[in-house]
Amino acid sequence: MTFEKEWAELRSAAAERRAMQVNSAPAEGGGGGAPDLVVNRDDLGAVGNDAYELRTRLSKDGDHARPATFDAAIALTNGNFTSGSAVLKVHDRWQTQLKTLLDSCAHISNHLDYTKAQHAKDDVKIGGDLVPVSKLSEYLK
């Protein structure tokens, strides 16, 4: 297919899409679309707080067996048991996975704290006296 032919087909398809656009609001009671995404700062704060609490508990409880597992691996290895190296691998894998999970919880908590603060800054920047979009939507109904 030549470039000119392909370009002509693309222009034709774009013109058809443009002709099908609706340039007015639906009749009363119409629309049927889902409402805009609305996130409250309280929701963000609650999820962020849960992630922080999970990280706090997990850092303590997830590390509970680490010293005993490490000591067992060393004792088995020193006793010439081949399972000592396997237990050490389990120990190391657990530590890696635990660190990944702790980092993920911290990332979620920090991101939601940042998002909450950013939304507050955006509200101030936009103008706190402006009517929110959800209220405007009610007026248009």
Side-chain angles (χ1 to χ4, degrees):
M1 178 179 285
T2 65
F3 174 77
E4 289 81 16
K5 184 176 180 182
E6 186 175 357
W7 181 247
E9 288 177 6
L10 290 171
R11 284 188 304 170
S12 174
E16 287 176 23
R17 283 194 305 273
R18 204 176 12 240
M20 294 183 350
Q21 284 182 339
V22 177
N23 292 326
S24 64
E28 202 166 322
D36 291 339
L37 176 64
V38 176
V39 178
N40 297 317
R41 282 188 213 111
D42 293 341
D43 297 337
L44 294 174
V47 174
N49 188 51
D50 288 346
Y52 177 77
E53 287 178 5
L54 176 62
R55 186 190 184 289
T56 302
R57 286 192 340 255
L58 189 59
S59 66
K60 179 184 172 199
D61 296 340
D63 198 41
H64 180 72
R66 183 189 52 79
T69 305
F70 185 75
D71 291 345
I74 297 302
L76 288 168
T77 301
N78 290 342
N80 293 323
F81 288 96
T82 57
S83 60
S85 63
V87 173
L88 189 58
K89 283 182 184 179
V90 169
H91 168 270
D92 293 345
R93 178 62 57 99
W94 177 262
Q95 288 305 109
T96 301
Q97 297 298 325
L98 179 62
K99 183 179 178 336
T100 300
L101 189 55
L102 289 170
D103 289 348
S104 297
C105 289
H107 181 76
I108 291 167
S109 177
N110 292 340
H111 179 71
L112 291 174
D113 286 345
Y114 170 80
T115 302
K116 186 175 154 182
Q118 190 61 41
H119 279 298
K121 288 178 186 175
D122 290 345
D123 286 347
V124 169
K125 185 177 178 182
I126 290 171
D129 296 336
L130 296 177
V131 177
V133 173
S134 58
K135 195 68 166 172
L136 291 174
S137 296
E138 288 177 20
Y139 292 147
L140 294 175
K141 288 183 179 179

